Amino acid sequence: MSHDIIKVSRNTANAPQSAHSTQTVAFSHYNNISAQLPVNPNTGDIVVGNIKAQAKQCLTNIKAIVESIGHVMDDMVKITVFVKNIDDMDAIDEVYATFFSAPLPTRTVVAVKALPLTDALVQMDALISNGEGTAPQAPCPLVKVSRDTQDAPSCAMSTQTVAFSHYNNLSAQLPIEPTTGKLIAGDITQQTEQCLNNIKAVLESINHVMGDIVKTTIYLKDLADIAAVNEVCSTFFNGYVPARTIVNATELPMGALVQIDTVVSHGDGTPPQPQEDSRFIVIEASNTNNAPTAPYSHTVAFSHYNHVSGQLPIDATTGEIVSADVAEQTKQCLNNIKAIIESVAHVMDDVVKVNIQVANIEDMDAIDQVYNTFFKQDLPARTVFAVSTLPMGAQVQIDAVISNCEGTPPQA
């Protein structure tokens, strides 16, 4: 595989544009789409009204972006729905299902404290399959493979796992007992175990193991539960620990205390990729002394992507938050990401997607003044939302996905 695969950043006038992100960034066999708010691109105004109207506008914006790059909604692999009120999901789902005809993508649903526009009730981002690849890759009619197993909870609004090329994206798993479809009774330890057992069941149904996971995002109702969750996670991984981001949710579906979604390496690829050429691609986990230590990997590379763990504004030498000033905290988060990226011989302009969690959504103007200075070329796709609390009382946390043109051995 060529070391010169090109990142392709694109915008369309048919969806809202931003000075701080690109609508879609394609690299290799995936497109990363920035979170879409319920904004009418013709007026620049938010659709004020009921939740159905706002959900429809978010999906219409995503559809416009997808179609502008020669794709369709059924090319979607993963979607994340951020809502102000978890009780709105029934109404959202009535609209949501009308945008797809093939098996539904994997999905994560989470309620958050605030969204970037005051009147927004919902925001959605997405990951799209990109069979044509990016230059100089030759177009390839790769097949998207959607699968479910009875050994994990099923949902009418999502598929448990969707594989495309060299990745599987799993729907976020709740602590649901699959035979009853009900949330298990128990504390955070038992609920975390159930989430991970559900993930394990999905993986085993597609001939994968927990050690194939490259990134987890853990949504918690109470950040005080982090230590207990980390302890449970340690029992499911033998030595190697995937990249990780921990997010404080205002509410989770079914009143759960925890929800976990995962990105999984898929060395065998999807047809017509030749299994014998690619099934032994290596997961490369890496840490650097120039970023804060954590009980998980700083970055995990597989095939043509690197996944960087959520970075807090911690000085790596002191282990402390750098400052009470949000601009300084943002700079430290991005410097930590930069140190991780440079430790694996990459640069900030290799970033394809950024996720920013803030304690106060009104801080975004100050954050953006710092943010844009870290990039020289087209900005990554981006998702922003506010949470009630961040670890260590931080005001901002940032994670990232990085393009990896060299791939990981033994390159097909």
Side-chain angles (χ1 to χ4, degrees):
M1 186 66 71
S2 169
H3 287 203
D4 300 314
I5 300 171
I6 297 169
K7 185 176 77 170
V8 181
S9 305
R10 288 172 286 192
N11 289 291
T12 174
N14 296 326
Q17 298 190 26
S18 170
H20 307 295
S21 64
T22 303
Q23 289 169 351
T24 174
V25 180
F27 186 79
S28 189
H29 291 130
Y30 281 94
N31 276 284
N32 298 266
I33 293 183
S34 289
Q36 294 301 301
L37 289 158
V39 173
N40 183 320
N42 297 318
T43 65
D45 295 328
I46 194 166
V47 175
V48 178
N50 63 35
I51 186 64
K52 287 185 180 181
Q54 290 205 4
K56 183 177 180 181
Q57 188 64 58
C58 291
L59 289 160
T60 298
N61 291 342
I62 290 173
K63 186 170 184 277
I65 294 167
V66 169
E67 291 178 347
S68 75
I69 55 175
H71 283 267
V72 296
M73 288 293 278
D74 287 325
D75 291 335
M76 191 177 295
V77 170
K78 174 73 182 287
I79 191 163
T80 304
V81 182
F82 303 91
V83 292
K84 291 287 296 298
N85 185 346
I86 202 74
D87 292 335
D88 283 338
M89 282 310 303
D90 286 344
I92 290 170
D93 284 341
E94 289 182 34
V95 177
Y96 180 84
T98 67
F99 278 78
F100 303 95
S101 58
L104 291 166
T106 62
R107 192 171 78 164
T108 296
V109 172
V110 58
V112 297
K113 184 176 81 170
L115 295 169
L117 294 176
T118 303
D119 293 325
L121 303 174
V122 60
Q123 168 180 265
M124 304 182 196
D125 68 11
L127 182 67
I128 308 296
S129 59
N130 189 47
E132 66 272 23
T134 50
Q137 290 174 318
C140 182
L142 298 177
V143 177
K144 188 177 78 170
V145 181
S146 305
R147 286 176 285 199
D148 287 292
T149 174
Q150 294 180 344
D151 295 326
S154 60
C155 176
M157 289 295 116
S158 64
T159 303
Q160 288 170 353
T161 176
V162 177
F164 188 77
S165 187
H166 293 306
Y167 278 94
N168 276 284
N169 287 267
L170 271 61
S171 286
Q173 292 299 305
L174 290 160
I176 296 171
E177 210 286 319
T179 57
T180 65
K182 295 181 179 179
L183 202 72
I184 66 162
D187 61 11
I188 187 64
T189 295
Q190 293 165 305
Q191 290 205 7
T192 304
E193 287 176 350
Q194 187 64 54
C195 291
L196 290 166
N197 278 325
N198 291 341
I199 289 167
K200 188 173 183 230
V202 174
L203 292 180
E204 290 178 349
S205 76
I206 56 175
N207 298 316
H208 281 272
V209 296
M210 295 294 282
D212 292 334
I213 294 173
V214 296
K215 173 73 190 293
T216 61
T217 302
I218 300 176
Y219 298 93
L220 288 175
K221 275 291 302 297
D222 187 349
L223 283 189
D225 289 334
I226 287 176
V229 170
N230 284 340
E231 185 175 347
V232 176
C233 287
S234 69
T235 67
F236 278 78
F237 298 96
N238 184 17
Y240 156 72
V241 184
R244 183 181 300 170
T245 298
I246 296 171
V247 177
N248 182 211
T250 304
E251 292 289 340
L252 291 169
M254 300 179 69
L257 302 176
V258 59
Q259 173 179 251
I260 304 176
D261 75 6
T262 49
V263 180
V264 180
S265 62
H266 185 55
D268 42 328
T270 51
Q273 289 174 322
Q275 192 176 74
E276 64 273 14
D277 287 348
S278 55
R279 59 183 169 177
F280 300 117
I281 296 173
V282 174
I283 291 175
E284 292 184 337
S286 181
N287 291 285
T288 174
N289 291 330
N290 295 325
T293 57
Y296 37 81
S297 300
H298 281 150
T299 179
V300 177
F302 183 78
S303 186
H304 293 303
Y305 280 93
N306 276 283
H307 299 262
V308 175
S309 292
Q311 293 300 303
L312 291 163
I314 298 172
D315 185 316
T317 59
T318 67
E320 301 292 335
I321 299 284
V322 291
S323 166
D325 179 68
V326 71
E328 288 299 315
Q329 289 199 13
T330 303
K331 184 177 180 181
Q332 187 64 49
C333 291
L334 290 163
N335 275 328
N336 290 341
I337 289 173
K338 185 170 183 280
I340 293 167
I341 291 172
E342 291 178 348
S343 75
V344 291
H346 283 272
V347 296
M348 288 295 283
D349 285 319
D350 291 334
V351 176
V352 295
K353 176 72 191 296
V354 166
N355 300 298
I356 302 177
Q357 299 96 50
V358 295
N360 186 350
I361 202 70
E362 294 178 357
D363 283 337
M364 281 311 302
D365 286 344
I367 289 168
D368 283 337
Q369 289 181 29
V370 177
Y371 179 84
N372 283 29
T373 67
F374 275 77
F375 302 95
K376 297 177 182 177
Q377 299 175 8
D378 292 327
L379 291 166
R382 193 173 81 164
T383 296
V384 172
F385 57 94
V387 295
S388 299
T389 310
L390 286 165
M392 297 181 67
Q395 297 180 67
V396 60
Q397 176 178 245
I398 305 175
D399 68 19
V401 181
I402 314 298
S403 60
N404 186 41
C405 66
E406 68 271 23
T408 52
Q411 299 168 156

